[in-house]
Amino acid sequence: MPITPQNVQDILSKHILTDGFDLTFDMERSQGVYIYDSKHNRTLLDFFTCFASVPLGYNHPGMVTDETFKKNLLLAALTNPSNSDIYTEQYAQFLEVFDRVGIPDYLPHAFFISGGGLAIENALKTAMDWKVQKNFARGYTSEKGFKVLHFEKAFHGRTGYTLSLTNTKPVKTKWFAKFDWPRVSTPWIDFDRLKTDPEELYRREAQSIAEIKKAFQENKDDICAIIIEPIQAEGGDNHIRKEFAEQLRILADENEALLIYDEVQTGVGLTGKFWCHEHFGENARPDILAFGKKMQVCGILAGKRIEENPENVFTVPSRINSTWGGNLADMVRSAKILEIIAEDRLCDNAAETGSYLQQKLNELAHNFHAITNVRGAGLLTAFDFPDGAIRDNFINEGMKRNTMFLGCGEKSIRFRPALIMDKTHIDEGINVIEQVLPELSM
């Protein structure tokens, strides 16, 4: 059977669940912040970017015109070497660029793997290894230190360990084996209420901190890490205050646990800084950072606190590893993307354009009461509808107007545009929102 844009989903559906968008993504004809749908012969303004994983939009000229880059990409794709044990110039080039553009000096250790969930998995393994050895040094004679303190509304993946942390939609975790690890409330910011009643947020922060302290007391020497997304993404684009993040840093230190930031979705520029946690300042830095999505290759960065145990996972062979150690083609692509992000100052662009997006959304919220709790850091921006049904209807109406929006949480819209998006694209999206809002039944 010849494959056409019209029968792609029919062919796929014979063997897989095809419940995604009703379109055929044309990788050649898509350009910039626009996806070309060859099934319906239409161009779509993209606020989705494959769940925040496309940093430069489609067919960026800095990539498609660079013949050396394309040669290295083809070589890496043709061979796919096992990076953990056989080394290439392309691997070294990637790490040199990453070091220059994105690796903070306080996180010198790196590990690469394919998949955001597996990045988190290895962050947890690193923390467990560290804590168990700490406990042996304290006099324990058996292994202890496997529990991970995490937060409500968190999404950290769908792999073995991460299933015990993820708690957004029950369908993603129910009936799978999970560990009984301590879960505490998330003091997310309601930005509308914060203006009139900040004490309400402070009370919830105090409650969360009390829950964390209780968890450490009830699980003495058994919690290896606190893990949190600097902004909870799938759980509803939930922000926390810098002051709360600083308290997490203190609690991790006081209880000999590691602080892990899951930046799989928040990292690589979208918030206006390369890493989202940089908004929290020096007093809330992590011990381990997990990355993926816009980085193209996934993995972790870790700090020198890991070195308190000389025989840690970064010095003992095979403690953490995988055959490919991250895909080399992904690394080649990542190196080129990182160079463009740095050269074109795209983190700054995300900060400026994101501020403009939030300004426009706040103006809409003033005129349309259905829009509430506008919030964001850079282009990583969101707002709420009254309920999930209205939100889902909005997404469908947006698609009818050739604009892709993405939901999260119970009733939120999250913006996940490419870093190259500018104010004219924002205006185009705002115009669509203005068209859709009067038609929603509220």
Side-chain angles (χ1 to χ4, degrees):
M1 175 188 296
I3 297 174
T4 69
Q6 284 67 41
N7 68 13
V8 164
Q9 285 169 307
D10 290 338
I11 293 170
L12 293 174
S13 65
K14 290 181 180 179
H15 299 287
I16 69 167
L17 178 63
T18 52
D19 62 339
F21 291 102
D22 179 23
L23 59 83
T24 298
F25 172 41
D26 190 318
M27 292 186 287
E28 185 174 9
R29 297 174 71 179
S30 297
Q31 294 289 328
V33 299
Y34 298 96
I35 280 181
Y36 188 79
D37 170 18
S38 55
K39 180 177 182 179
H40 301 291
N41 295 314
R42 58 180 176 168
T43 300
L44 301 163
L45 177 62
D46 183 16
F47 288 106
F48 157 68
T49 61
C50 298
F51 290 102
S53 65
V54 181
L56 302 180
Y58 307 102
N59 291 306
H60 189 285
M63 300 181 74
V64 299
T65 62
D66 188 329
E67 296 303 322
T68 300
F69 157 68
K70 289 193 288 185
K71 178 182 177 181
N72 282 328
L73 186 65
L74 180 59
L75 286 171
L78 285 171
T79 308
N80 195 22
S82 56
N83 295 308
S84 298
D85 300 288
I86 185 167
Y87 310 120
T88 59
E89 291 181 30
Q90 288 83 357
Y91 190 1
Q93 181 189 21
F94 156 71
L95 199 50
E96 188 279 327
V97 175
F98 188 21
D99 182 36
R100 175 162 42 88
V101 176
I103 298 181
D105 58 6
Y106 50 87
L107 297 172
H109 299 287
F111 171 79
F112 304 103
I113 200 162
S114 296
L118 292 177
I120 301 297
E121 196 105 333
N122 282 279
L124 303 186
K125 288 168 67 178
T126 299
M128 293 174 185
D129 173 273
W130 181 85
K131 183 63 175 180
V132 171
Q133 290 195 61
K134 285 283 187 177
N135 281 336
F136 281 145
R138 292 167 63 99
Y140 282 89
T141 57
S142 60
E143 296 178 5
K144 186 173 186 177
F146 300 132
K147 294 184 178 181
V148 181
L149 189 145
H150 59 287
F151 290 80
E152 294 174 353
K153 302 180 182 293
F155 182 89
H156 295 294
R158 306 166 186 260
T159 58
Y161 286 141
T162 63
L163 285 170
S164 300
L165 310 174
T166 291
N167 61 101
T168 49
K169 297 179 180 179
V171 70
K172 298 185 177 182
T173 57
K174 69 178 182 180
W175 305 331
F176 302 136
K178 294 178 285 295
F179 294 104
D180 184 21
W181 288 344
R183 180 174 299 166
V184 299
S185 60
T186 305
W188 54 272
I189 304 172
D190 182 327
F191 286 87
D192 290 339
R193 187 166 184 178
L194 183 63
K195 299 170 186 175
T196 58
D197 184 16
E199 293 299 325
E200 183 271 341
L201 173 61
Y202 304 156
R203 286 192 294 270
R204 286 191 289 113
E205 287 180 340
Q207 176 61 35
S208 182
I209 290 169
E211 292 170 9
I212 294 170
K213 291 180 177 179
K214 182 180 179 183
F216 276 113
Q217 292 170 356
E218 293 180 345
N219 299 274
K220 183 174 172 57
D221 297 329
D222 208 12
I223 296 175
C224 64
I226 300 171
I227 186 169
I228 191 168
E229 302 151 270
I231 299 172
Q232 290 181 322
E234 180 176 303
D237 262 34
N238 303 314
H239 293 241
I240 57 172
R241 288 199 311 142
K242 168 186 176 180
E243 291 81 2
F244 182 73
E246 291 173 341
Q247 287 299 306
L248 295 182
R249 176 70 273 169
I250 292 170
L251 289 165
D253 290 338
E254 289 178 347
N255 292 279
E256 205 164 55
L258 298 179
L259 178 60
I260 303 173
Y261 286 147
D262 176 351
E263 292 231 35
V264 170
Q265 187 160 151
T266 61
V268 194
L270 195 63
T271 67
K273 294 184 181 293
F274 195 89
W275 300 114
C276 180
H277 77 265
E278 295 178 83
H279 290 282
F280 297 150
E282 295 183 4
N283 295 328
R285 289 173 172 173
D287 298 301
I288 303 175
L289 179 151
F291 56 83
K293 290 190 181 288
K294 280 186 174 57
M295 264 299 296
Q296 307 296 290
V297 63
C298 305
I300 62 174
L301 300 175
K304 293 185 177 181
R305 202 169 171 213
I306 304 299
E307 299 171 10
E308 292 172 358
N309 297 320
E311 294 190 353
N312 58 72
V313 299
F314 295 102
T315 60
V316 178
S318 291
R319 289 295 288 150
I320 55 174
N321 206 351
S322 76
T323 297
W324 287 295
N327 182 283
L328 186 59
D330 292 339
M331 292 176 173
V332 171
R333 189 186 320 106
S334 178
K336 186 61 179 176
I337 288 169
L338 294 178
E339 287 178 343
I340 293 171
I341 288 174
E343 290 169 2
D344 293 354
R345 301 181 63 86
L346 292 181
C347 292
D348 292 341
N349 182 71
E352 181 181 348
T353 309
S355 178
Y356 181 74
L357 170 59
Q358 291 159 41
Q359 173 194 328
K360 290 297 182 180
L361 289 173
N362 276 308
E363 290 173 5
L364 282 179
H366 181 74
N367 297 320
F368 296 93
H369 298 307
I371 291 182
T372 59
N373 195 25
V374 174
R375 56 203 183 274
L379 281 168
L380 197 150
T381 292
F383 66 86
D384 290 346
F385 276 117
D387 58 50
I390 294 171
R391 184 269 312 276
D392 295 345
N393 190 21
F394 170 83
I395 293 173
N396 292 333
E397 291 299 320
M399 281 295 289
K400 292 177 183 177
R401 292 165 175 81
N402 299 332
T403 305
M404 299 178 71
F405 294 107
L406 181 62
C408 65
E410 297 175 357
K411 57 184 181 180
S412 299
I413 291 290
R414 54 176 156 167
F415 290 82
R416 295 296 186 269
L419 299 175
I420 63 170
M421 184 162 276
D422 62 31
K423 293 178 181 179
T424 61
H425 304 128
I426 298 300
D427 288 340
E428 186 179 344
I430 292 295
N431 183 54
V432 171
I433 298 174
E434 288 179 320
Q435 292 175 34
V436 172
L437 284 174
E439 298 183 9
L440 299 178
S441 89
M442 290 176 274

